[in-house]
Amino acid sequence: MLSSQRIRIGRPTIHDVASAAGVSVSTVSKALNGNGRMADETRARIKYLAKEIGFRPNALARGLVFNRSFTIGLLTNDTYGRFTLPVMAGVSEALVDKGVSVFLCAIDDDPVLGRIHVDAMLDKQVDGIIATGKRIDRALPVDLAGLPVPIVYVFTKGSASSVTLTSDDAQGASLATRWLLDLGRKRLVHVTGPEDFASVRERSTAFRTHAGADAGVLYGVWSEAWGHAAVARLWEREEEKPDGIFCGNDQIARGVIDALRERGVRVPEDVSVIGFDNWEIMADQSRPLLTSVDMNLKELGKEAGRMVLALTEGKLIEPGLRKLPCRLAIRQSCGGGSVADAQNVEGHHAQ
């Protein structure tokens, strides 16, 4: 026997919410959109009932009301995702409660593909674009100047009139170097990547500021093989061997630790080692577990999300480069505990 109760087909509408709350459709619209004058209790009750019956506002209609699409584009040439994925996680976390969606477009280093994705974003009427890359001193292979939407840059070069976010490389290097000195290490060496990277130059300068103007800096490539080769070079020299090695990234640090182990040099008893990036796939698999400078990529993403949202809302933000502080994750390669007990050392150690 068929039930006499009417069965609804399809998703609940704003009229259902109005009926359940005993108010007009316009009152429901104002309550859910956060405008109009009404008692806080009434607004809260309408929102609760809307959630209870499973009402989801129509995104297109909402966009027409606010003249926004509530979407942000994330454009990147970091196809490996080492920097972009944590940044995107932060962007999404900052915007999810605002009803804003983020979609990712990877462009490699292809200017044609970059233009296609930018045009697609504009066709979708994104409210803004976050451009992110692999290094702060290189621009993406597509010109974003003059676009009709706000642009925020993260880890890639922007124009002088843009808002650009990056980690504070000098502060992070200072954290690492001071930590080694505080451990009593006296003969420090910095093994890092190519000297033509702005981040490499900033870190090496900060390293020598604390370790001494004559402290050794070895430039190379971003690989474990280079870390291994750098140790061979250091141990072939006649002079006294280092007792603290600060590496430009975690891959180099892994190579350094492996090469030291092959020579019977104990880490951290004989030599303390610090990496840079705090890339968990590297730091947690290193033996011993690797102490590393964390660039706070997720927090960078959150800040980028907050800024692009503010710009879409017409708020004024001073253009220029903003550097967010790093932290130091202490693990066994500097005498710390297990990864579960890793200490987080903040920026005050860089002073």
Side-chain angles (χ1 to χ4, degrees):
M1 180 177 177
L2 292 174
S3 170
S4 60
Q5 186 175 20
R6 185 178 178 184
I7 299 175
R8 166 171 291 281
I9 304 297
R11 54 194 260 175
T13 69
I14 194 170
H15 296 278
D16 298 320
V17 180
S19 177
V23 298
S24 68
V25 169
S26 64
T27 299
V28 172
S29 177
K30 292 174 183 176
L32 298 182
N33 289 323
N35 53 33
R37 297 180 60 184
M38 68 184 68
D40 291 341
E41 295 81 2
T42 301
R43 192 184 302 275
R45 183 170 65 88
I46 291 172
K47 288 184 177 181
Y48 172 79
L49 289 170
K51 184 176 181 180
E52 281 293 293
I53 69 174
F55 172 69
R56 297 176 64 85
N58 183 283
L60 180 58
R62 185 168 176 245
L64 290 173
V65 170
F66 289 97
N67 195 29
R68 289 175 54 192
S69 67
F70 293 92
T71 58
I72 295 295
L74 186 63
L75 193 70
T76 183
N77 67 342
D78 174 28
T79 50
Y80 192 64
R82 167 66 193 100
F83 302 105
T84 297
L85 293 181
V87 168
M88 184 172 182
V91 172
S92 298
E93 189 170 314
L95 298 181
V96 65
D97 290 340
K98 309 297 183 182
V100 178
S101 300
V102 182
F103 67 92
L104 173 67
C105 291
I107 64 173
D108 298 313
D109 284 309
D110 185 342
V112 175
L113 184 60
R115 189 70 254 171
I116 290 172
H117 280 309
V118 169
D119 288 343
M121 288 180 176
L122 296 178
D123 288 343
K124 293 179 183 295
Q125 298 183 322
V126 295
D127 296 326
I129 295 174
I130 296 174
T132 181
K134 297 174 285 190
R135 50 190 291 187
I136 193 63
D137 52 344
R138 291 281 177 89
L140 293 184
V142 58
D143 185 11
L144 302 178
L147 294 185
V149 295
I151 312 290
V152 171
Y153 296 85
V154 183
F155 273 122
T156 193
K157 188 176 182 179
S159 65
S161 60
S162 65
V163 176
T164 304
L165 299 171
T166 189
S167 298
D168 192 334
D169 287 293
Q171 178 261 350
S174 295
L175 273 178
T177 310
R178 288 296 303 272
W179 188 262
L180 289 171
L181 293 171
D182 288 347
L183 289 174
R185 302 305 187 181
K186 301 183 183 303
R187 302 180 304 279
L188 304 188
V189 171
H190 182 35
V191 181
T192 188
E195 192 173 5
D196 65 337
F197 276 62
S199 60
V200 169
R201 295 193 297 272
E202 287 192 22
R203 294 173 194 175
S204 60
T205 298
F207 167 75
R208 280 180 164 154
T209 296
H210 298 288
D214 296 329
V217 177
L218 277 65
Y219 300 102
V221 295
W222 304 113
S223 71
E224 291 185 50
W226 163 233
H228 201 281
V231 168
R233 186 183 302 182
L234 290 167
W235 258 252
E236 287 168 0
R237 294 177 176 177
E238 294 297 329
E239 58 259 37
E240 207 169 8
K241 305 300 183 283
D243 60 2
I245 302 178
F246 167 43
C247 301
N249 74 355
D250 293 343
Q251 290 165 283
I252 294 172
R254 280 279 298 272
V256 164
I257 288 175
D258 289 346
L260 291 173
R261 183 188 305 111
E262 291 171 9
R263 285 168 172 74
V265 180
R266 300 170 301 165
V267 177
E269 292 86 354
D270 301 323
V271 179
S272 294
V273 178
I274 296 180
F276 205 107
D277 291 347
N278 198 29
W279 190 8
E280 291 185 0
I281 195 172
M282 285 284 168
D284 292 352
Q285 297 303 315
S286 176
R287 293 296 178 268
L289 302 177
L290 178 64
T291 294
S292 185
V293 177
D294 191 311
M295 295 187 290
N296 280 333
L297 296 175
K298 190 173 182 181
E299 189 56 42
L300 271 174
K302 289 181 183 178
E303 185 65 13
R306 288 190 286 262
M307 284 195 169
V308 77
L309 182 62
L311 289 170
T312 64
E313 293 173 346
K315 297 176 182 176
L316 295 178
I317 294 181
E318 190 72 23
L321 178 64
R322 289 168 169 78
K323 296 183 178 183
L324 275 65
C326 301
R327 64 185 180 88
L328 189 62
I330 306 298
R331 299 185 181 87
Q332 293 170 347
S333 70
C334 276
S338 68
V339 65
D341 299 325
Q343 306 170 55
N344 291 323
V345 181
E346 303 297 340
H348 63 273
H349 284 280
Q351 302 303 317

